């Protein structure tokens, strides 16, 4: 059974969905999203009906390797199909998932139903509460073999656990430190502008995200550090547009009709990882956290939905392998499966975010960012080498698409040498963007 606090089911049709579907429970509902090749791969293997629904709803199908100029990617290869993506505006993708869930045999979805707490039964292990269901805001109690908290970034699980006398989970929490200023556009003829420099480009003290979506729509987002007060003026649509126009690889993404009436800004997004095993002991049995309720990080790399799907597969497989008869064993097994298969992606993302924020700080201060971290140096050299060598390009894209970790890419025969050679001069390469001073005069004015 799925319990969803928001009452409205999705209407039919992409434009109805975009224009009218209210989802107060998801802050980022109308903010730009992109769904990575790993997400498409998981749809193919686990949820082909969702993919079919997405195609029917006008989702964009693209391949960031095959769509790149031949001088960058070299000849097409059979294995390049691994980079296929299917994407769309978040609400359109979510409606496709919801429609398949609605038809799934044995699955009951109760919308307009808010969970308010946990219900317990006899402990499966001394001193550790065992969850046997949930209590709704109406006071109604529902029993469950397993409660999966998927209430997102603002999950109240710690409070609910405290109320049943459980030890507090170990939360690592930090503001992710970025602010997003985004808008969606539509072309008159259904085409989408070409990506001239990748979907995510770090351009000095700002980053630009240009994301193709469904039905001839796309989004353009500027990402800044939350500490960068001067750039908060990017909330103003005219100033935002001037800033986007100043970016030679991005400006052409403005050649469409805006489909939202303003710049949508989002700040205060936290990086959070929640560990329900403290000192090797589950804080409770019969309950787990998944998706953003388990861990969430900087969204500009577009990994959240794919990481959530990976964890959902790990959950399904753990239930199949371990069963739920021994709640303690299940809690430990799911924790280990998550730690092994999912958490490394979260950690990699977090490390990259911390470096990027520190890099922005350094650039604002007018200095060069030179951390002594070989992992960061490797990922930056790989990004620089990507546009000079077909192998490096595929390695870079496969990491960006959540297919391979940077360390696995680096381990490919001969790749490290190439990356080292081709990425060596990256700090001297010109950035296709205004200098910090020029950006400030565009945004703040002279
Ligand atoms: C600005 C931004 C941009 C992003 N861009 C991307 C992207 O490009 N690609 C990508 O893959 N990811 C992106 N993400 C991340 C992605 O949105 C999340 O990873 C994803 O939505 C997590 O799914 P979830 O189901 O765990 O949580 P959510 O999508 O947050 O869903 C949680 C659900 O729980 C419901 N709920 C909450 N409390 C209760 C309750 N008490 N009872 C019942 N129901 C409740 C809510 O109504 C909501 O429907 C972005 C995130 C942000 C903030």
């Amino acid at each position: 059974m799925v319990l969803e606090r928001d009452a409205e089911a999705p209407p039919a049709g992409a434009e109805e969905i975009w224009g009218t579907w209210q989802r107060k429970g998801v802050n980022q509902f109308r903010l730009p999203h992109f769904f990575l090749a790993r997400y498409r791969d998981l749809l193919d293997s686990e949820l082909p009906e969702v993919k079919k629904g997405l195609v029917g709803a006008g989702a964009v199908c693209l391949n960031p390797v095959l769509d790149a100029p031949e001088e960058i990617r070299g000849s097409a290869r059979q294995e390049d199909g691994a980079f296929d993506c299917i994407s769309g505006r978040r609400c359109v993708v979510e409606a496709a998932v919801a429609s398949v869930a609605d038809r799934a045999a044995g699955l009951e979805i109760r919308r307009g139903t808010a969970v308010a707490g946990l219900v317990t039964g006899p402990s499966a292990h001394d001193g550790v509460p065992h969850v046997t269901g949930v209590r709704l805001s109406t006071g109604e109690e529902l029993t469950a073999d397993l409660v999966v908290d998927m209430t997102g970034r603002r999950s109240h699980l710690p409070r609910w656990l405290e109320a049943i006398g459980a030890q507090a989970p170990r939360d690592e929490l930090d503001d992710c430190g970025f602010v997003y200023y985004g808008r969606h556009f539509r072309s008159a003829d259904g085409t989408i502008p070409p990506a001239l420099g990748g979907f995510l480009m770090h351009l000095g003290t700002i980053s630009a995200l240009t994301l193709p979506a469904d039905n001839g729509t796309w989004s353009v987002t500027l990402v800044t550090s939350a500490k960068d007060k001067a750039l908060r003026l990017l909330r103003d649509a005219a100033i935002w547009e001037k800033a986007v126009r100043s970016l030679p690889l991005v400006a052409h993404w403005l050649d469409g009709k805006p489909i939202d009436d303003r710049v949508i800004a989002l700040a205060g997004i936290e990086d959070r990882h929640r560990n329900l095993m403290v000192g090797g002991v589950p804080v409770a049995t019969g309950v787990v956290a998944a998706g953003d309720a388990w861990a969430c990080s900087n969204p500009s790399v577009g990994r959240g939905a794919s990481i959530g799907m990976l964890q959902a597969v790990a959950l399904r497989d753990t239930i199949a392998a371990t069963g739920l008869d021994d709640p303690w064993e299940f809690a430990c097994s799911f924790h280990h499966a998550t730690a092994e298969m999912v958490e490394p992606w979260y950690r990699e993302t977090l490390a990259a975010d911390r470096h990027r924020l520190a890099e922005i700080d350094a650039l604002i201060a007018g200095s060069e960012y030179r951390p002594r971290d070989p992992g960061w140096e490797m990922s930056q050299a790989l990004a620089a080498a990507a546009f000079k060598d077909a192998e490096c390009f595929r390695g870079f894209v496969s990491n960006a698409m959540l297919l391979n970790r940077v360390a696995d890419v680096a381990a490919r025969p001969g790749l490290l040498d190439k990356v080292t050679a081709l990425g060596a001069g990256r700090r001297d390469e010109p950035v296709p963007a205004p200098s910090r001073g020029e950006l400030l005069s565009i945004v703040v004015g002279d």
Side-chain angles (χ1 to χ4, degrees):
M1 182 185 291
V2 175
L3 306 174
E4 168 53 54
R5 189 173 51 192
D6 286 350
E8 268 184 45
E15 296 325 310
E16 275 297 298
I17 291 167
W18 172 257
T20 65
W21 193 16
Q22 296 302 318
R23 289 280 283 116
K24 290 210 171 89
V26 182
N27 238 357
Q28 68 272 26
F29 193 56
R30 282 193 173 72
L31 269 141
H33 273 65
F34 184 79
F35 295 84
L36 304 175
R38 187 62 176 267
Y39 190 86
R40 188 273 315 149
D41 181 54
L42 289 166
L43 290 188
D44 277 340
S45 56
E46 307 289 342
L47 294 168
E49 288 291 301
V50 172
K51 187 168 171 200
K52 223 194 288 167
L54 279 173
V55 171
V60 64
C61 296
L62 50 85
N63 183 308
V65 167
L66 293 174
D67 297 345
E70 202 169 334
E71 57 271 23
I72 292 174
R73 66 159 161 82
S75 320
R77 302 174 190 174
Q78 206 176 1
E79 63 270 21
D80 288 339
F83 301 109
D84 282 347
C85 301
I86 183 161
S87 192
R89 286 167 288 181
R90 177 196 166 119
C91 53
V92 174
V93 175
E94 192 177 311
V97 177
S99 137
V100 172
D102 270 338
R103 298 194 303 271
L107 180 63
E108 184 186 345
I109 300 173
R110 285 178 61 172
R111 293 185 184 274
T113 305
V115 174
L118 302 169
V119 174
T120 52
S123 282
H125 205 87
D126 272 355
V128 175
H130 178 59
V131 172
T132 54
V134 292
R135 196 179 57 263
L136 306 182
S137 56
T138 54
E140 184 187 352
E141 292 187 356
L142 300 171
T143 55
D145 295 330
L146 178 68
V147 171
V148 183
D149 173 25
M150 292 201 72
T151 56
R153 287 176 173 258
R154 289 168 290 169
S155 152
H156 293 312
L157 188 58
R159 201 200 291 165
W160 295 344
L161 286 167
E162 188 186 353
I164 60 166
Q167 198 184 343
R170 207 174 57 218
D171 274 14
E172 294 166 45
L173 182 68
D174 207 349
D175 187 324
C176 92
F178 295 101
V179 188
Y180 296 80
Y181 302 92
R183 290 197 90 172
H184 286 80
F185 294 83
R186 182 196 304 284
S187 65
D189 59 4
T191 57
I192 290 181
L196 302 180
F199 298 143
L200 172 63
M201 286 177 273
H202 298 310
L203 302 167
T205 56
I206 55 174
S207 302
L209 261 175
T210 48
L211 304 178
D214 57 281
N215 296 291
T217 64
W218 64 87
S219 61
V220 181
T221 305
L222 296 180
V223 187
T224 70
S225 162
K227 286 194 227 156
D228 198 344
K229 292 190 180 146
L231 296 191
R232 290 185 190 166
L233 291 168
L234 290 170
R235 279 174 187 273
D236 180 295
I239 294 174
W240 179 89
E241 185 175 331
K242 264 202 295 174
V244 176
R245 285 217 185 279
S246 75
L247 306 171
L249 300 182
V250 185
H252 65 292
W253 288 86
L254 292 176
D255 296 341
K257 189 173 176 308
I259 56 170
D260 27 31
D261 54 3
R262 63 196 164 91
V263 174
I264 305 182
L266 193 62
I269 304 167
E270 68 276 15
D271 284 325
R272 185 185 37 70
H273 175 263
R274 176 160 296 150
N275 194 344
L276 297 185
M277 290 271 279
V278 176
V281 175
V283 296
T285 55
V287 62
V288 293
D292 278 16
W294 163 72
C296 46
S297 64
N298 168 25
S300 68
V301 285
R303 291 180 163 187
S306 303
I307 290 179
M309 281 269 273
L310 275 178
Q311 199 188 14
V313 171
L315 177 60
R316 190 256 337 253
D317 292 348
T318 308
I319 293 172
T322 312
L324 295 169
D325 291 344
D326 182 339
W328 179 269
E329 193 194 345
F330 172 77
C332 297
S333 299
F334 181 58
H335 170 80
H336 293 308
T338 297
E340 191 184 323
M341 286 181 261
V342 197
E343 191 170 335
W345 287 112
Y346 171 75
R347 297 287 164 203
E348 184 188 274
T349 311
L350 199 62
D353 289 356
R354 296 288 147 240
H355 279 298
R356 174 63 184 144
L357 280 171
E359 181 181 56
I360 293 176
D361 282 348
L363 293 172
I364 290 175
S367 51
E368 204 174 49
Y369 185 58
R370 282 188 181 269
R372 288 200 196 95
D373 176 353
W376 164 257
E377 292 296 333
M378 170 66 198
S379 66
Q380 295 307 290
L382 178 63
F387 293 94
K388 300 172 189 149
D389 175 83
E391 282 327 311
C392 296
F393 181 59
R394 284 173 174 75
F396 172 72
V397 176
S398 78
N399 176 253
M401 291 290 129
L402 213 87
L403 297 168
N404 293 104
R405 311 252 335 277
V406 173
D408 300 329
V409 170
R412 292 177 186 171
L415 202 102
L416 194 52
D417 290 345
K418 275 189 184 177
V419 169
T420 308
L422 296 172
R426 68 186 184 284
R427 287 192 166 88
D428 301 322
E429 288 171 9
V431 177
S435 66
R436 174 74 184 169
E438 289 163 340
L439 178 66
L440 288 180
S441 49
I442 290 164
V443 172
V444 183
D446 294 316

